[in-house]
Amino acid sequence: MDFELTEEQQMIKDTARRFAEKEVAPLVEGAEASRTFPIQLFRRMGKLGLLCIRYPLELGGGGADKVAECILAEELNRICAGIAAGLMVQGGLATNPIYQFGSEGLKQEFLLPAIKGEKIGAFALTEPDVGSDAASIKTRAIKDGDYYVLNGSKTFITNGPICDYALVAATVDPARKAEGVCLFVVEKGTPGFVVTRKLDKVGNWSAETGELLFESCRVPATHLVGGQEGRGFSQILDTLTSGRITYGGRSTGVAQAAYEASLQYAQRRVQFGRPIVEFQITRFKLAEMAMKIDIMRSYTYRVARLYDAGRKVVKEASMVKLFCAETLEEILAQAMQIHGGYGYMMEYPVQRYWRDGRLFTITEGTSEIHHLVIARESGF
Ligand SMILES: Cc1cc2nc3c(=O)[nH]c(=O)nc-3n(C[C@H](O)[C@H](O)[C@H](O)COP(=O)(O)OP(=O)(O)OC[C@H]3O[C@@H](n4cnc5c(N)ncnc54)[C@H](O)[C@@H]3O)c2cc1C
């Protein structure tokens, strides 16, 4: 196994870092304060081929691999997990099902503009009463001639308030559970599709998260992804497998930011006549943070390389998501501790990393669900 990044991956790392520091960092304060996503980033990143980095160049993507996508995720999350969340949805959940399974028509109408950042996408699976048990979704899709009529509601939807279209999971028959689930592309402006609320969150303030309502919403049958009923659940699982690997990069980015902030603080903060970095216990905390981040990063690359090699990585994707999200929690706790009382004050960025990173054991499969997947995939 090659342990080094390829020349291209290294180039993407350098580009992503430069972009995140020069073009994303200046937007963070304003976006966080106003709780709005800086939507100009979609077109800007689309133009650079960074928005949907893994799709082919001929579609406007970056033509890069999964490792590169994780590198980009790390660099963006190192600067701001909220902004990264909106961008990650676009490059993954909101486009991958169309890219992998969508008709030529759906690709032309939604995927290509999404890759360029001209259309913003959202992915709507979760419902007020249905989260982890996704096969039990209640949003109904009933066929009516050349249309499906959607009724139901979705919650916690990243990009929901700003999207131009949403990939919506609905069931044609709740009794069929997973086998009844379908994915539909629903365009904003379709009568009956309403954003009912923008949600106030503990963290990730610059990602806009909302509740969506579908009331007798007529969607052309051609907007059923894959063209056949009952394929949605496996399309979602495929997409989530890829997303879970990206979570390794996302967690590593937030961890890296927390580590850098903690080291800098420990070098400056003087107590008992010495910078606190000179106390052995602080040095040990920082050393452990550095070690854990190195493991998170290498593990993410490893699973991403398996994915790039075309291996089935359902178990490994859950493992990397679970390990990195949980390890991030440990790192953030140490980062807050090193900052003492100042860490609890809003003027230091570590509180943002702590609030933002707290989400990662919950979204795209909670840690508990990933334990279940790993057990199942391990055959027990
Ligand atoms: C900020 C944010 C953004 C999000 N963005 C999106 C998005 O863009 N699109 C989207 O569709 N969803 C999105 N989600 C939803 C997210 O994926 C869900 O919150 C997640 O899947 C968990 O579902 P739940 O919140 O309903 O929790 P529940 O499923 O109700 O779980 C509650 C608790 O019970 C535990 N639990 C549940 N079942 C089991 C079990 N069988 N065994 C053991 N423990 C169990 C869980 O692990 C958890 O600890 C987002 C959520 C947040 C908070």
Side-chain angles (χ1 to χ4, degrees), residues 171-204:
T171 176
V172 287
D173 180 0
R176 283 166 60 194
K177 293 282 184 179
E179 286 170 15
V181 175
C182 305
L183 276 179
F184 294 93
V185 184
V186 186
E187 202 163 6
K188 191 68 97 34
T190 308
F193 174 9
V194 189
V195 178
T196 38
R197 204 151 64 101
K198 182 169 151 178
L199 299 164
D200 237 349
K201 310 189 293 297
V202 168
N204 288 265

PDB file of all heavy atoms in Angstrom, residues 171-204:
ATOM      1  N   THR A 171     -42.427   6.991   0.193  1.00  0.00           N
ATOM      2  CA  THR A 171     -42.763   5.574  -0.004  1.00  0.00           C
ATOM      3  C   THR A 171     -44.032   5.419  -0.845  1.00  0.00           C
ATOM      4  O   THR A 171     -44.979   6.173  -0.671  1.00  0.00           O
ATOM      5  CB  THR A 171     -42.920   4.844   1.351  1.00  0.00           C
ATOM      6  OG1 THR A 171     -43.326   3.495   1.099  1.00  0.00           O
ATOM      7  CG2 THR A 171     -43.940   5.514   2.266  1.00  0.00           C
ATOM      8  N   VAL A 172     -43.986   4.432  -1.722  1.00  0.00           N
ATOM      9  CA  VAL A 172     -45.192   4.136  -2.503  1.00  0.00           C
ATOM     10  C   VAL A 172     -46.082   3.154  -1.745  1.00  0.00           C
ATOM     11  O   VAL A 172     -47.240   2.965  -2.093  1.00  0.00           O
ATOM     12  CB  VAL A 172     -44.857   3.565  -3.904  1.00  0.00           C
ATOM     13  CG1 VAL A 172     -44.318   4.665  -4.805  1.00  0.00           C
ATOM     14  CG2 VAL A 172     -43.888   2.399  -3.832  1.00  0.00           C
ATOM     15  N   ASP A 173     -45.510   2.546  -0.697  1.00  0.00           N
ATOM     16  CA  ASP A 173     -46.292   1.606   0.111  1.00  0.00           C
ATOM     17  C   ASP A 173     -45.575   1.378   1.441  1.00  0.00           C
ATOM     18  O   ASP A 173     -44.619   0.596   1.505  1.00  0.00           O
ATOM     19  CB  ASP A 173     -46.429   0.273  -0.656  1.00  0.00           C
ATOM     20  CG  ASP A 173     -47.235  -0.754   0.129  1.00  0.00           C
ATOM     21  OD1 ASP A 173     -47.686  -0.431   1.252  1.00  0.00           O
ATOM     22  OD2 ASP A 173     -47.385  -1.886  -0.377  1.00  0.00           O
ATOM     23  N   PRO A 174     -46.054   2.029   2.505  1.00  0.00           N
ATOM     24  CA  PRO A 174     -45.358   1.935   3.807  1.00  0.00           C
ATOM     25  C   PRO A 174     -45.205   0.490   4.281  1.00  0.00           C
ATOM     26  O   PRO A 174     -44.221   0.163   4.958  1.00  0.00           O
ATOM     27  CB  PRO A 174     -46.252   2.725   4.767  1.00  0.00           C
ATOM     28  CG  PRO A 174     -47.138   3.558   3.907  1.00  0.00           C
ATOM     29  CD  PRO A 174     -47.242   2.883   2.569  1.00  0.00           C
ATOM     30  N   ALA A 175     -46.138  -0.383   3.892  1.00  0.00           N
ATOM     31  CA  ALA A 175     -46.071  -1.775   4.355  1.00  0.00           C
ATOM     32  C   ALA A 175     -44.843  -2.485   3.774  1.00  0.00           C
ATOM     33  O   ALA A 175     -44.345  -3.449   4.346  1.00  0.00           O
ATOM     34  CB  ALA A 175     -47.345  -2.516   3.962  1.00  0.00           C
ATOM     35  N   ARG A 176     -44.350  -1.987   2.629  1.00  0.00           N
ATOM     36  CA  ARG A 176     -43.181  -2.632   1.997  1.00  0.00           C
ATOM     37  C   ARG A 176     -41.868  -2.148   2.593  1.00  0.00           C
ATOM     38  O   ARG A 176     -40.787  -2.568   2.151  1.00  0.00           O
ATOM     39  CB  ARG A 176     -43.209  -2.385   0.481  1.00  0.00           C
ATOM     40  CG  ARG A 176     -44.221  -3.293  -0.217  1.00  0.00           C
ATOM     41  CD  ARG A 176     -44.507  -2.833  -1.640  1.00  0.00           C
ATOM     42  NE  ARG A 176     -43.302  -2.813  -2.479  1.00  0.00           N
ATOM     43  CZ  ARG A 176     -43.230  -2.196  -3.662  1.00  0.00           C
ATOM     44  NH1 ARG A 176     -44.269  -1.529  -4.116  1.00  0.00           N
ATOM     45  NH2 ARG A 176     -42.119  -2.237  -4.362  1.00  0.00           N
ATOM     46  N   LYS A 177     -41.953  -1.261   3.568  1.00  0.00           N
ATOM     47  CA  LYS A 177     -40.745  -0.733   4.252  1.00  0.00           C
ATOM     48  C   LYS A 177     -39.680  -0.313   3.236  1.00  0.00           C
ATOM     49  O   LYS A 177     -39.999   0.409   2.318  1.00  0.00           O
ATOM     50  CB  LYS A 177     -40.199  -1.775   5.237  1.00  0.00           C
ATOM     51  CG  LYS A 177     -41.130  -2.023   6.408  1.00  0.00           C
ATOM     52  CD  LYS A 177     -40.985  -0.897   7.400  1.00  0.00           C
ATOM     53  CE  LYS A 177     -41.829  -1.134   8.640  1.00  0.00           C
ATOM     54  NZ  LYS A 177     -41.690  -0.101   9.608  1.00  0.00           N
ATOM     55  N   ALA A 178     -38.454  -0.823   3.361  1.00  0.00           N
ATOM     56  CA  ALA A 178     -37.353  -0.375   2.494  1.00  0.00           C
ATOM     57  C   ALA A 178     -37.703  -0.566   1.018  1.00  0.00           C
ATOM     58  O   ALA A 178     -37.327   0.252   0.165  1.00  0.00           O
ATOM     59  CB  ALA A 178     -36.074  -1.132   2.836  1.00  0.00           C
ATOM     60  N   GLU A 179     -38.448  -1.611   0.713  1.00  0.00           N
ATOM     61  CA  GLU A 179     -38.745  -1.904  -0.700  1.00  0.00           C
ATOM     62  C   GLU A 179     -39.771  -0.962  -1.317  1.00  0.00           C
ATOM     63  O   GLU A 179     -40.007  -0.993  -2.529  1.00  0.00           O
ATOM     64  CB  GLU A 179     -39.219  -3.356  -0.846  1.00  0.00           C
ATOM     65  CG  GLU A 179     -38.055  -4.300  -0.688  1.00  0.00           C
ATOM     66  CD  GLU A 179     -38.492  -5.750  -0.591  1.00  0.00           C
ATOM     67  OE1 GLU A 179     -39.656  -6.050  -0.925  1.00  0.00           O
ATOM     68  OE2 GLU A 179     -37.651  -6.562  -0.169  1.00  0.00           O
ATOM     69  N   GLY A 180     -40.378  -0.121  -0.479  1.00  0.00           N
ATOM     70  CA  GLY A 180     -41.331   0.857  -1.012  1.00  0.00           C
ATOM     71  C   GLY A 180     -40.721   2.243  -1.201  1.00  0.00           C
ATOM     72  O   GLY A 180     -41.365   3.146  -1.735  1.00  0.00           O
ATOM     73  N   VAL A 181     -39.476   2.403  -0.763  1.00  0.00           N
ATOM     74  CA  VAL A 181     -38.886   3.752  -0.753  1.00  0.00           C
ATOM     75  C   VAL A 181     -38.390   4.165  -2.144  1.00  0.00           C
ATOM     76  O   VAL A 181     -37.763   3.374  -2.853  1.00  0.00           O
ATOM     77  CB  VAL A 181     -37.717   3.826   0.274  1.00  0.00           C
ATOM     78  CG1 VAL A 181     -37.019   5.186   0.207  1.00  0.00           C
ATOM     79  CG2 VAL A 181     -38.227   3.554   1.690  1.00  0.00           C
ATOM     80  N   CYS A 182     -38.701   5.402  -2.509  1.00  0.00           N
ATOM     81  CA  CYS A 182     -38.261   5.973  -3.794  1.00  0.00           C
ATOM     82  C   CYS A 182     -37.628   7.337  -3.532  1.00  0.00           C
ATOM     83  O   CYS A 182     -37.950   7.997  -2.545  1.00  0.00           O
ATOM     84  CB  CYS A 182     -39.461   6.215  -4.714  1.00  0.00           C
ATOM     85  SG  CYS A 182     -40.475   4.767  -4.999  1.00  0.00           S
ATOM     86  N   LEU A 183     -36.768   7.746  -4.447  1.00  0.00           N
ATOM     87  CA  LEU A 183     -36.199   9.096  -4.376  1.00  0.00           C
ATOM     88  C   LEU A 183     -36.748   9.914  -5.535  1.00  0.00           C
ATOM     89  O   LEU A 183     -36.703   9.461  -6.689  1.00  0.00           O
ATOM     90  CB  LEU A 183     -34.674   9.043  -4.498  1.00  0.00           C
ATOM     91  CG  LEU A 183     -33.857   8.768  -3.239  1.00  0.00           C
ATOM     92  CD1 LEU A 183     -32.370   8.738  -3.583  1.00  0.00           C
ATOM     93  CD2 LEU A 183     -34.117   9.810  -2.150  1.00  0.00           C
ATOM     94  N   PHE A 184     -37.238  11.110  -5.217  1.00  0.00           N
ATOM     95  CA  PHE A 184     -37.759  12.003  -6.247  1.00  0.00           C
ATOM     96  C   PHE A 184     -36.989  13.315  -6.232  1.00  0.00           C
ATOM     97  O   PHE A 184     -36.624  13.806  -5.153  1.00  0.00           O
ATOM     98  CB  PHE A 184     -39.235  12.341  -5.976  1.00  0.00           C
ATOM     99  CG  PHE A 184     -40.149  11.156  -6.086  1.00  0.00           C
ATOM    100  CD1 PHE A 184     -40.461  10.402  -4.954  1.00  0.00           C
ATOM    101  CD2 PHE A 184     -40.688  10.798  -7.310  1.00  0.00           C
ATOM    102  CE1 PHE A 184     -41.301   9.301  -5.047  1.00  0.00           C
ATOM    103  CE2 PHE A 184     -41.531   9.693  -7.405  1.00  0.00           C
ATOM    104  CZ  PHE A 184     -41.837   8.939  -6.283  1.00  0.00           C
ATOM    105  N   VAL A 185     -36.783  13.864  -7.415  1.00  0.00           N
ATOM    106  CA  VAL A 185     -36.211  15.207  -7.478  1.00  0.00           C
ATOM    107  C   VAL A 185     -37.378  16.182  -7.528  1.00  0.00           C
ATOM    108  O   VAL A 185     -38.180  16.140  -8.461  1.00  0.00           O
ATOM    109  CB  VAL A 185     -35.335  15.390  -8.733  1.00  0.00           C
ATOM    110  CG1 VAL A 185     -34.675  16.768  -8.715  1.00  0.00           C
ATOM    111  CG2 VAL A 185     -34.288  14.294  -8.832  1.00  0.00           C
ATOM    112  N   VAL A 186     -37.465  17.020  -6.491  1.00  0.00           N
ATOM    113  CA  VAL A 186     -38.583  17.968  -6.427  1.00  0.00           C
ATOM    114  C   VAL A 186     -38.023  19.385  -6.495  1.00  0.00           C
ATOM    115  O   VAL A 186     -37.196  19.779  -5.662  1.00  0.00           O
ATOM    116  CB  VAL A 186     -39.414  17.788  -5.135  1.00  0.00           C
ATOM    117  CG1 VAL A 186     -40.651  18.677  -5.183  1.00  0.00           C
ATOM    118  CG2 VAL A 186     -39.805  16.331  -4.944  1.00  0.00           C
ATOM    119  N   GLU A 187     -38.496  20.104  -7.509  1.00  0.00           N
ATOM    120  CA  GLU A 187     -37.965  21.444  -7.733  1.00  0.00           C
ATOM    121  C   GLU A 187     -38.659  22.458  -6.830  1.00  0.00           C
ATOM    122  O   GLU A 187     -39.878  22.369  -6.622  1.00  0.00           O
ATOM    123  CB  GLU A 187     -38.195  21.816  -9.208  1.00  0.00           C
ATOM    124  CG  GLU A 187     -37.277  22.889  -9.673  1.00  0.00           C
ATOM    125  CD  GLU A 187     -37.222  22.953 -11.205  1.00  0.00           C
ATOM    126  OE1 GLU A 187     -37.984  22.225 -11.873  1.00  0.00           O
ATOM    127  OE2 GLU A 187     -36.423  23.727 -11.711  1.00  0.00           O
ATOM    128  N   LYS A 188     -37.863  23.401  -6.307  1.00  0.00           N
ATOM    129  CA  LYS A 188     -38.451  24.495  -5.523  1.00  0.00           C
ATOM    130  C   LYS A 188     -39.381  25.259  -6.457  1.00  0.00           C
ATOM    131  O   LYS A 188     -39.068  25.453  -7.631  1.00  0.00           O
ATOM    132  CB  LYS A 188     -37.309  25.380  -5.015  1.00  0.00           C
ATOM    133  CG  LYS A 188     -37.673  26.427  -3.961  1.00  0.00           C
ATOM    134  CD  LYS A 188     -38.052  25.869  -2.642  1.00  0.00           C
ATOM    135  CE  LYS A 188     -37.037  25.771  -1.539  1.00  0.00           C
ATOM    136  NZ  LYS A 188     -36.018  26.708  -1.359  1.00  0.00           N
ATOM    137  N   GLY A 189     -40.529  25.661  -5.935  1.00  0.00           N
ATOM    138  CA  GLY A 189     -41.492  26.359  -6.797  1.00  0.00           C
ATOM    139  C   GLY A 189     -42.599  25.428  -7.272  1.00  0.00           C
ATOM    140  O   GLY A 189     -43.638  25.888  -7.740  1.00  0.00           O
ATOM    141  N   THR A 190     -42.390  24.103  -7.136  1.00  0.00           N
ATOM    142  CA  THR A 190     -43.462  23.167  -7.470  1.00  0.00           C
ATOM    143  C   THR A 190     -44.595  23.411  -6.468  1.00  0.00           C
ATOM    144  O   THR A 190     -44.341  23.400  -5.252  1.00  0.00           O
ATOM    145  CB  THR A 190     -42.973  21.703  -7.336  1.00  0.00           C
ATOM    146  OG1 THR A 190     -41.774  21.559  -8.076  1.00  0.00           O
ATOM    147  CG2 THR A 190     -44.021  20.718  -7.821  1.00  0.00           C
ATOM    148  N   PRO A 191     -45.823  23.641  -6.950  1.00  0.00           N
ATOM    149  CA  PRO A 191     -46.915  23.880  -5.992  1.00  0.00           C
ATOM    150  C   PRO A 191     -47.012  22.736  -4.973  1.00  0.00           C
ATOM    151  O   PRO A 191     -46.904  21.569  -5.341  1.00  0.00           O
ATOM    152  CB  PRO A 191     -48.161  23.938  -6.887  1.00  0.00           C
ATOM    153  CG  PRO A 191     -47.630  24.342  -8.227  1.00  0.00           C
ATOM    154  CD  PRO A 191     -46.266  23.725  -8.351  1.00  0.00           C
ATOM    155  N   GLY A 192     -47.161  23.100  -3.703  1.00  0.00           N
ATOM    156  CA  GLY A 192     -47.258  22.096  -2.649  1.00  0.00           C
ATOM    157  C   GLY A 192     -45.928  21.808  -1.959  1.00  0.00           C
ATOM    158  O   GLY A 192     -45.890  21.089  -0.972  1.00  0.00           O
ATOM    159  N   PHE A 193     -44.827  22.356  -2.460  1.00  0.00           N
ATOM    160  CA  PHE A 193     -43.509  22.195  -1.811  1.00  0.00           C
ATOM    161  C   PHE A 193     -43.203  23.501  -1.082  1.00  0.00           C
ATOM    162  O   PHE A 193     -42.978  24.524  -1.712  1.00  0.00           O
ATOM    163  CB  PHE A 193     -42.457  21.876  -2.870  1.00  0.00           C
ATOM    164  CG  PHE A 193     -41.014  21.825  -2.374  1.00  0.00           C
ATOM    165  CD1 PHE A 193     -40.698  21.872  -1.021  1.00  0.00           C
ATOM    166  CD2 PHE A 193     -39.971  21.707  -3.281  1.00  0.00           C
ATOM    167  CE1 PHE A 193     -39.383  21.824  -0.580  1.00  0.00           C
ATOM    168  CE2 PHE A 193     -38.643  21.658  -2.864  1.00  0.00           C
ATOM    169  CZ  PHE A 193     -38.357  21.725  -1.501  1.00  0.00           C
ATOM    170  N   VAL A 194     -43.200  23.424   0.256  1.00  0.00           N
ATOM    171  CA  VAL A 194     -43.015  24.632   1.059  1.00  0.00           C
ATOM    172  C   VAL A 194     -41.908  24.417   2.103  1.00  0.00           C
ATOM    173  O   VAL A 194     -41.829  23.348   2.718  1.00  0.00           O
ATOM    174  CB  VAL A 194     -44.314  24.966   1.856  1.00  0.00           C
ATOM    175  CG1 VAL A 194     -44.222  26.328   2.536  1.00  0.00           C
ATOM    176  CG2 VAL A 194     -45.539  24.897   0.979  1.00  0.00           C
ATOM    177  N   VAL A 195     -41.058  25.431   2.276  1.00  0.00           N
ATOM    178  CA  VAL A 195     -40.128  25.418   3.419  1.00  0.00           C
ATOM    179  C   VAL A 195     -40.894  26.036   4.576  1.00  0.00           C
ATOM    180  O   VAL A 195     -41.225  27.219   4.549  1.00  0.00           O
ATOM    181  CB  VAL A 195     -38.855  26.250   3.138  1.00  0.00           C
ATOM    182  CG1 VAL A 195     -37.945  26.255   4.359  1.00  0.00           C
ATOM    183  CG2 VAL A 195     -38.121  25.706   1.919  1.00  0.00           C
ATOM    184  N   THR A 196     -41.241  25.220   5.559  1.00  0.00           N
ATOM    185  CA  THR A 196     -42.111  25.728   6.624  1.00  0.00           C
ATOM    186  C   THR A 196     -41.339  26.467   7.718  1.00  0.00           C
ATOM    187  O   THR A 196     -41.881  27.329   8.385  1.00  0.00           O
ATOM    188  CB  THR A 196     -42.909  24.576   7.276  1.00  0.00           C
ATOM    189  OG1 THR A 196     -42.064  23.431   7.357  1.00  0.00           O
ATOM    190  CG2 THR A 196     -44.131  24.239   6.462  1.00  0.00           C
ATOM    191  N   ARG A 197     -40.048  26.105   7.892  1.00  0.00           N
ATOM    192  CA  ARG A 197     -39.324  26.723   9.009  1.00  0.00           C
ATOM    193  C   ARG A 197     -37.832  26.598   8.785  1.00  0.00           C
ATOM    194  O   ARG A 197     -37.368  25.566   8.283  1.00  0.00           O
ATOM    195  CB  ARG A 197     -39.691  25.960  10.287  1.00  0.00           C
ATOM    196  CG  ARG A 197     -39.540  26.731  11.574  1.00  0.00           C
ATOM    197  CD  ARG A 197     -40.530  26.219  12.628  1.00  0.00           C
ATOM    198  NE  ARG A 197     -40.285  24.834  13.031  1.00  0.00           N
ATOM    199  CZ  ARG A 197     -39.662  24.468  14.165  1.00  0.00           C
ATOM    200  NH1 ARG A 197     -39.182  25.372  14.982  1.00  0.00           N
ATOM    201  NH2 ARG A 197     -39.521  23.192  14.479  1.00  0.00           N
ATOM    202  N   LYS A 198     -37.101  27.646   9.141  1.00  0.00           N
ATOM    203  CA  LYS A 198     -35.646  27.526   9.224  1.00  0.00           C
ATOM    204  C   LYS A 198     -35.335  27.241  10.689  1.00  0.00           C
ATOM    205  O   LYS A 198     -35.873  27.922  11.584  1.00  0.00           O
ATOM    206  CB  LYS A 198     -35.009  28.833   8.753  1.00  0.00           C
ATOM    207  CG  LYS A 198     -33.508  28.798   8.758  1.00  0.00           C
ATOM    208  CD  LYS A 198     -32.948  30.008   8.031  1.00  0.00           C
ATOM    209  CE  LYS A 198     -31.597  30.365   8.616  1.00  0.00           C
ATOM    210  NZ  LYS A 198     -30.978  31.486   7.926  1.00  0.00           N
ATOM    211  N   LEU A 199     -34.501  26.243  10.947  1.00  0.00           N
ATOM    212  CA  LEU A 199     -34.319  25.787  12.330  1.00  0.00           C
ATOM    213  C   LEU A 199     -33.122  26.465  13.006  1.00  0.00           C
ATOM    214  O   LEU A 199     -32.095  26.709  12.374  1.00  0.00           O
ATOM    215  CB  LEU A 199     -34.132  24.267  12.340  1.00  0.00           C
ATOM    216  CG  LEU A 199     -35.339  23.486  11.785  1.00  0.00           C
ATOM    217  CD1 LEU A 199     -34.966  22.048  11.465  1.00  0.00           C
ATOM    218  CD2 LEU A 199     -36.496  23.518  12.765  1.00  0.00           C
ATOM    219  N   ASP A 200     -33.289  26.739  14.289  1.00  0.00           N
ATOM    220  CA  ASP A 200     -32.234  27.314  15.131  1.00  0.00           C
ATOM    221  C   ASP A 200     -31.441  26.174  15.748  1.00  0.00           C
ATOM    222  O   ASP A 200     -32.042  25.296  16.364  1.00  0.00           O
ATOM    223  CB  ASP A 200     -32.916  28.093  16.263  1.00  0.00           C
ATOM    224  CG  ASP A 200     -32.462  29.526  16.280  1.00  0.00           C
ATOM    225  OD1 ASP A 200     -31.491  29.842  15.579  1.00  0.00           O
ATOM    226  OD2 ASP A 200     -33.079  30.327  17.010  1.00  0.00           O
ATOM    227  N   LYS A 201     -30.133  26.200  15.575  1.00  0.00           N
ATOM    228  CA  LYS A 201     -29.345  25.047  16.020  1.00  0.00           C
ATOM    229  C   LYS A 201     -28.296  25.436  17.056  1.00  0.00           C
ATOM    230  O   LYS A 201     -27.920  26.597  17.167  1.00  0.00           O
ATOM    231  CB  LYS A 201     -28.627  24.401  14.825  1.00  0.00           C
ATOM    232  CG  LYS A 201     -29.526  24.117  13.640  1.00  0.00           C
ATOM    233  CD  LYS A 201     -28.823  23.291  12.578  1.00  0.00           C
ATOM    234  CE  LYS A 201     -27.688  23.999  11.866  1.00  0.00           C
ATOM    235  NZ  LYS A 201     -28.090  25.191  11.098  1.00  0.00           N
ATOM    236  N   VAL A 202     -27.776  24.421  17.758  1.00  0.00           N
ATOM    237  CA  VAL A 202     -26.705  24.628  18.744  1.00  0.00           C
ATOM    238  C   VAL A 202     -25.417  25.050  18.030  1.00  0.00           C
ATOM    239  O   VAL A 202     -24.670  25.899  18.516  1.00  0.00           O
ATOM    240  CB  VAL A 202     -26.485  23.317  19.539  1.00  0.00           C
ATOM    241  CG1 VAL A 202     -25.197  23.375  20.354  1.00  0.00           C
ATOM    242  CG2 VAL A 202     -27.681  23.048  20.435  1.00  0.00           C
ATOM    243  N   GLY A 203     -25.162  24.466  16.884  1.00  0.00           N
ATOM    244  CA  GLY A 203     -23.927  24.780  16.154  1.00  0.00           C
ATOM    245  C   GLY A 203     -24.181  24.774  14.659  1.00  0.00           C
ATOM    246  O   GLY A 203     -25.334  24.786  14.215  1.00  0.00           O
ATOM    247  N   ASN A 204     -23.098  24.773  13.885  1.00  0.00           N
ATOM    248  CA  ASN A 204     -23.225  24.794  12.415  1.00  0.00           C
ATOM    249  C   ASN A 204     -24.172  25.907  11.979  1.00  0.00           C
ATOM    250  O   ASN A 204     -25.052  25.707  11.135  1.00  0.00           O
ATOM    251  CB  ASN A 204     -23.713  23.433  11.902  1.00  0.00           C
ATOM    252  CG  ASN A 204     -22.656  22.357  12.008  1.00  0.00           C
ATOM    253  OD1 ASN A 204     -21.924  22.076  11.069  1.00  0.00           O
ATOM    254  ND2 ASN A 204     -22.518  21.776  13.196  1.00  0.00           N
TER     255      ASN A 204
END
